[in-house]
Amino acid sequence: MPLINEQARIIENECVGPRLYLMVLQAPRIAESIEPGQFVHVKIPGMADHILRRPFSVYATNPATKTIDILYQTVGYGTDFMTTLTADEGALSEVEVLGPVGRCWMPPEHTQRALLVGGGVGAAPLYMLAEQLVETRVHTDVILGAQTEQALVCRGRYEVLLSAGTTDQVAPLCSTDDGSFGRAGFATSLVAEALEAAGQAGKQYDYVAVCGPEPLMRAVADLCADAGVYCEVSMERRMACGIGACLSCVVETTEGKLRACVDGPIFEATKVVW
Ligand SMILES: Cc1cc2nc3c(=O)[nH]c(=O)nc-3n(C[C@H](O)[C@H](O)[C@H](O)COP(=O)(O)OP(=O)(O)OC[C@H]3O[C@@H](n4cnc5c(N)ncnc54)[C@H](O)[C@@H]3O)c2cc1C
Ligand code: FES
């Protein structure tokens, strides 16, 4: 799929949780072509002294409105500045969006049972994959971890999706660091239990996808390697060009240095040298 550079109108840019914002962008051509796990490279207007684009995974698309949703966390200058953009008319009501960029999630063919693990804002890049799996009648379990209940902002959408699907788990299993919702502690304990229970029942997962902080992805990758389950991870790196030219985003792998922007961001977990 060739890269598209679209001038996208901001339809919504709302605070949805602690340091978490949902931006809805009208980007018809990207909305119809983006695959789960791919990302867009966003040029934020009004940041004269910061010319680099910022990469964001696409959380969801809406074919009716031809929009894409981005869930972003404020961590620095660019994302702080993004919160000031509005849906009102004017120079700050549009962003330039380059996409779809990168390799999408690729569950093995004939996957019947999948487990998706999202940590923090990493819950968002898994949502379109969950939609695709549920639609194709793959049994899909979801585990979400966050610091607090308020930060579990994707939980509602997953609940609606899973309750409509074929899975017998109608809500995502959740953990919070402070114990305010679900299991107290990190999501890894839920993942370990899910893999063990599935193995004991003779219904091991065919596929695990994980996105979130690197320690979470590494821990889940190790658990999957021990259980013999195929696992993919989404590697975030600081990016400059976003098109494979500058090598600022390299990931160390068993096949050498690969670029997160075009060879990833999705990688087979066993190939990543953590
Ligand atoms: C493929 C991909 C998909 C992403 N998807 C999302 C998403 O859906 N939602 C979301 O909130 N964020 C996502 N990110 C991270 C997001 O791009 C960064 O948080 C953002 O670029 C930071 O910009 P800034 O100007 O606010 O931060 P800066 O002021 O440039 O830096 C502030 C801090 O953020 C860290 N940082 C900067 N860029 C990145 C990066 N690319 N990855 C990790 N840490 C970074 C820096 O190390 C620094 O500590 C994604 C990153 C990649 C590579
Ligand atoms: S960001 Fe330039 S090669 Fe990946």
Side-chain angles (χ1 to χ4, degrees):
M1 181 73 209
L3 279 179
I4 299 162
N5 196 29
E6 274 191 304
Q7 198 64 24
R9 197 158 70 81
I10 298 169
I11 305 297
E12 192 181 316
N13 188 23
E14 301 293 334
C15 182
V16 291
R19 291 169 47 224
L20 292 166
Y21 288 76
L22 180 71
M23 182 178 268
V24 181
L25 295 171
Q26 196 154 52
R29 292 167 65 211
I30 293 175
E32 73 179 17
S33 54
I34 197 138
E35 297 285 340
Q38 289 187 305
F39 67 96
V40 288
H41 220 189
V42 179
K43 188 170 177 183
I44 305 163
M47 296 204 320
D49 45 344
H50 289 251
I51 51 162
L52 291 181
R53 292 172 181 246
R54 301 295 193 274
F56 296 97
S57 299
V58 171
Y59 176 15
T61 61
N62 185 330
T65 53
K66 302 183 190 317
T67 52
I68 58 173
D69 293 2
I70 291 170
L71 181 71
Y72 69 95
Q73 183 169 36
T74 56
V75 296
Y77 186 80
T79 44
D80 278 342
F81 195 88
M82 276 170 77
T83 67
T84 66
L85 304 179
T86 67
D88 301 333
E89 295 297 310
L92 301 186
S93 64
E94 286 190 351
V95 292
E96 208 178 300
V97 186
L98 183 72
V101 194
R103 178 182 175 273
C104 58
W105 299 106
M106 284 205 252
E109 232 181 301
H110 310 304
T111 292
Q112 290 181 356
R113 295 175 56 80
L115 174 65
L116 312 189
V117 184
V121 78
L126 291 162
Y127 181 74
M128 284 170 57
L129 172 65
E131 280 186 319
Q132 198 177 68
L133 291 168
V134 167
E135 203 177 288
T136 52
R137 304 186 71 77
V138 172
H139 174 100
T140 306
D141 290 331
V142 177
I143 293 176
L144 303 178
Q147 288 180 341
T148 62
E149 180 177 11
Q150 286 74 29
L152 279 170
V153 294
C154 300
R155 183 164 63 95
R157 280 197 192 184
Y158 277 103
E159 273 174 6
V160 172
L161 177 70
L162 296 183
S163 61
T166 54
T167 178
D168 40 342
Q169 183 200 310
V170 291
L173 292 174
C174 294
S175 69
T176 49
D177 299 356
D178 69 351
S180 52
F181 188 86
R183 172 76 58 88
F186 296 142
T188 34
S189 67
L190 291 173
V191 178
E193 286 171 23
L195 288 169
E196 197 181 327
Q200 278 174 3
K203 292 178 173 179
Q204 190 51 277
Y205 296 101
D206 306 302
Y207 176 61
V208 172
V210 53
C211 184
E214 219 159 289
L216 169 72
M217 294 199 290
R218 184 178 181 170
V220 173
D222 286 346
L223 289 167
C224 289
D226 290 347
V229 176
Y230 182 78
C231 174
E232 286 188 317
V233 296
S234 180
M235 301 299 289
E236 288 193 3
R237 287 289 181 270
R238 297 203 75 156
M239 291 183 179
C241 71
I243 52 167
C246 73
L247 304 185
S248 68
C249 64
V250 291
V251 173
E252 201 67 55
T253 74
T254 53
E255 294 169 355
K257 291 184 194 312
L258 295 178
R259 298 156 299 177
C261 62
V262 290
D263 304 316
I266 312 299
F267 290 91
E268 190 181 328
T270 54
K271 292 197 175 151
V272 176
V273 179
W274 299 96

